[in-house]
Amino acid sequence: MSRIEERFTKLRGEGRGALIPYIMAGYPTLESSRRIIEALAKWGDIIEIGIPYSDPLADGATIQKASVVALSHGIKTPQVLEMIEDLRRVTDTPFVIMTYYNAIYKYGLDAFAKAVAGVGVDGVIIPDLPPEEAHPWRSAAEANSIDTIFLLAPTSTEDRIRKVASACRGFIYCVSLTGVTGAREALSITLPQFISRVRVLTDKPLAIGFGISSPEHAREVAKIADGVIIGSALIGLIDEAKDEREQIAKVTGFVRDILAALGK
Amino acid sequence: MLLPDRTGHFGEFGGKFVPETLMTALAELEEAYNKYKEDEDFQRELDYYLKEYAGRPTPLYFAERLTQRFGGAKIYLKREDLCHTGAHKINNTIGQVLLARRMGKTRIIAETGAGQHGVATATAAAMFGIPCQVYMGEEDVRRQSLNVFRMKLLGAEVIPVSSGSKTLKDAINEAIRDWVTNVETTHYVIGSVVGPHPYPMMVRDFQTVIGRETKEQILEKEGCLPDYIVACVGGGSNSIGIFYPFLETRVKLIGVEAAGLGLKTRRHGASLCEGTKGILHGSLSYVLQDQYGQIRPAHSISAGLDYPGVGPEHSYLKEKGLATYNAITDEEALEAFQLLSETEGILPALEPAHAIAYLKQLAPNLSEDEIIVVNLSGRGDKDVQVVAQALGIEV
């Protein structure tokens, strides 16, 4: 069982949902993102770390902008891996990487799996890699004990739910709505129906992301799923803060509210 | 073997690298396309609009003075510039909008660089009375204000894209994001043989009308096939359209990319000549990128060739040696633009001006009984301002 799976098993025992905060490495700066992640690792059950990419086509305006800023600081794969290596010395919270397939393909699938495993990453999410194209990546990841986390969407058919579920290790990333990442006012009304369609076909842990923006959302999500992923809303808080201390205070304050909503 | 294969691959190229949300829509599109491809009623409707509305067949014109100028092979021009809206783009947009209608989609979106594909999509959408929104990089909106106005006149809404490099590649990203959000009601009309399967196959099929006509026309005029076919390559739709029917013949196929300020300057759009394998906009092909897979911006004086990727089938043709690819600089293209204007009275678009420019290297070294066909994929009216500026002339 991977560390991510262990984490979900333990939380199921405790009867609460997993909190998975997302932070873009290099935003607002590499140093700040490292310290924000370090602070979040005390509260989050799994931390999702974004490697900035030039063409993030599954992301809305907030994460797009964060990518542009991070890239303008020259932050690419090697700098992110170094940062994770540093963080691994101070926390044992599982890390998953989120980036686009070309960043991994160009690095070399085996080289990438080996490099991320070497710095203590537990899983990788690739939003533009469906299981149909993922055989080479899955063997590279498996050889290095990296969990392969694929996504499901409200538009996924029963056939696809089976295919994606069987390719997933760690957890299944359920996209809450038909759209891109970004904070939203309300949850999609069809979300419970979508999640129950998935539930009947797999017993793997389900984490819901895209648009989750408040403790109220998290409370709703915890009723039907095993975890919540929160990204753009955290970046929004980072943007509101005037300095790094305030960024950390706002972000950790927010995730504590979310944790309370998840039943801790 | 017929390509792409069932999973949408041309050898190792192509495929579907998109968010899960789109996978079902791509499967539905593929199913609908495969159905209507064989449907006589659909084909009759398509042929009707291509003939009566777009102005097909386009002439295959013997360019006598250009031939004399180079003093070698006979040069023919496939006059796609005479299509309605001024370029080959309309062949594809009519096909896709007809398909979208049969699929029950009520909204059309498209991306555009210079505005040619945007205009062609807005045109087809207007004719069929379907609402249309076109994504266009902010930088291109500024450079191509006339085409922006043309699209508005045609009833389309132009949405400026301010993310990334604010050009074609970012307009495609934004159109994909829109499609992810509105996939149930919306059809995304991609303008070239790029994107996830089935787009590279479908757009190719709609554009092969160029090659099929060329084959018939040259047989009628010369009684034999040409020795060479030359076409410019950005995403690669006009070139694949004229190449495809000649793939299993002895005709040599030459694609011409944009060398921009020079291949060694990194300011070019030559993905096949200078790029490496990677994934962009949903398919595996040759792309311009750095060592960590970040896409590098392209450059060309011609907005239609200003793209850091290329259709996956071209990557396959290059790899298999079934076509060869060269590149022409901004300066050479400008010179060819003027040459064709002066010798034949035809203002070419800056995109096919790259193909015309390549003739200087090819035609004089061939004998008089050899034949070259150049795909003149669009007319140059849209480029007059850019050309004037490049030549330092005020208009």
Side-chain angles (χ1 to χ4, degrees), chain B residues 205-322:
Chain B
D205 291 353
F206 286 135
Q207 292 294 1
T208 51
V209 65
I210 306 172
R212 288 197 310 270
E213 283 176 11
T214 301
K215 207 174 200 174
E216 249 176 59
Q217 290 164 323
I218 198 76
L219 284 173
E220 190 182 310
K221 288 176 200 294
E222 294 284 345
C224 63
L225 294 182
D227 298 279
Y228 294 85
I229 293 179
V230 182
C232 64
V233 182
S237 71
N238 90 80
S239 44
I240 213 88
I242 195 165
F243 287 176
Y244 195 70
F246 294 93
L247 268 181
E248 280 165 7
T249 68
R250 55 161 196 86
V251 178
K252 295 177 196 70
L253 308 173
I254 301 175
V256 184
E257 296 191 286
L261 303 181
L263 289 183
K264 297 296 158 220
T265 64
R266 292 204 160 181
R267 301 267 294 140
H268 59 77
S271 317
L272 289 163
C273 293
E274 290 287 315
T276 50
K277 289 174 194 171
I279 292 100
L280 177 64
H281 297 141
S283 59
L284 176 62
S285 194
Y286 279 89
V287 300
L288 302 178
Q289 59 183 334
D290 74 6
Q291 60 171 320
Y292 297 111
Q294 307 286 342
I295 303 300
R296 282 202 283 118
H299 164 81
S300 171
I301 190 170
S302 136
L305 306 185
D306 193 349
Y307 181 63
V310 66
E313 192 163 12
H314 282 293
S315 293
Y316 176 80
L317 296 182
K318 175 192 158 83
E319 196 113 313
K320 292 282 169 199
L322 297 171

Side-chain angles (χ1 to χ4, degrees), chain A:
Chain A
M1 195 185 273
S2 72
R3 296 195 329 152
I4 293 174
E5 285 159 351
E6 275 169 18
R7 189 64 65 128
F8 275 102
T9 310
K10 178 168 160 277
L11 289 171
R12 261 186 197 177
E14 290 171 16
R16 89 167 161 89
L19 168 63
I20 309 173
Y22 165 95
I23 292 295
M24 168 71 75
Y27 185 79
T29 66
L30 191 63
E31 265 310 291
S32 295
S33 60
R34 189 182 64 74
R35 284 192 281 264
I36 294 168
I37 293 168
E38 190 176 333
L40 283 171
K42 297 191 180 82
W43 304 98
D45 297 295
I46 297 164
I47 308 291
E48 185 185 338
I49 300 172
I51 300 178
Y53 187 59
S54 55
D55 294 79
L57 51 75
D59 284 304
T62 307
I63 294 179
Q64 283 176 46
K65 198 196 76 188
S67 290
V68 170
V69 171
L71 286 171
S72 76
H73 300 323
I75 306 306
K76 294 177 187 176
T77 308
Q79 291 80 5
V80 180
L81 297 186
E82 261 173 51
M83 180 194 80
I84 294 175
E85 194 169 24
D86 285 348
L87 283 162
R88 207 18 109 216
R89 296 197 188 100
V90 296
T91 177
D92 61 357
T93 304
F95 289 143
V96 298
I97 280 181
M98 203 296 272
T99 196
Y100 288 82
Y101 189 48
N102 196 45
I104 297 171
Y105 177 87
K106 184 71 171 111
Y107 199 97
L109 304 182
D110 292 315
F112 188 84
K114 201 164 171 215
V116 299
V119 298
V121 168
D122 298 276
V124 176
I125 302 166
I126 312 170
D128 61 344
L129 183 68
E132 284 86 340
E133 301 284 356
H135 292 295
W137 164 242
R138 282 172 66 194
S139 14
E142 199 174 327
N144 291 281
S145 302
I146 292 292
D147 282 350
T148 49
I149 298 150
F150 291 89
L151 295 87
L152 279 173
T155 53
S156 304
T157 56
E158 193 180 313
D159 226 34
R160 297 202 53 77
I161 294 173
R162 288 180 205 279
K163 200 178 282 180
V164 168
S166 80
C168 271
R169 285 180 33 163
F171 64 91
I172 303 174
Y173 192 135
C174 296
V175 175
S176 82
L177 44 77
T178 308
V180 293
T181 62
R184 307 285 203 286
E185 287 292 316
L187 291 178
S188 159
I189 49 163
T190 58
L191 181 59
Q193 194 197 341
F194 162 46
I195 297 304
S196 63
R197 283 203 298 126
V198 179
R199 243 345 157 201
V200 297
L201 298 172
T202 177
D203 55 5
K204 290 191 176 162
L206 308 182
I208 298 182
F210 284 42
I212 313 299
S213 317
S214 69
E216 292 71 43
H217 291 171
R219 190 171 298 121
E220 289 305 306
V221 165
K223 288 180 192 161
I224 52 174
D226 307 296
V228 291
I229 302 161
I230 302 187
S232 298
L234 292 177
I235 294 178
L237 291 172
I238 290 169
D239 289 344
E240 282 172 16
K242 63 178 189 302
D243 56 24
E244 191 185 291
R245 236 186 59 188
E246 199 183 321
Q247 285 163 1
I248 292 174
K250 274 182 181 279
V251 164
T252 52
F254 182 74
V255 298
R256 284 154 72 179
D257 292 344
I258 299 283
L259 273 175
L262 289 173
K264 187 162 189 171

Side-chain angles (χ1 to χ4, degrees), chain B residues 11 44 51 73 76 97 126 135 152 163 172 179 197 234 241 251 285 299 307 325 336 352 372 390 395:
Chain B
R44 215 173 12 248
K51 177 166 180 266
Y76 280 88
V97 171
Y135 287 93
K152 286 180 181 167
S163 57
I172 297 179
W179 201 33
H197 179 67
V251 178
S285 194
H299 164 81
Y307 181 63
Y325 296 88
I372 305 171
V395 286

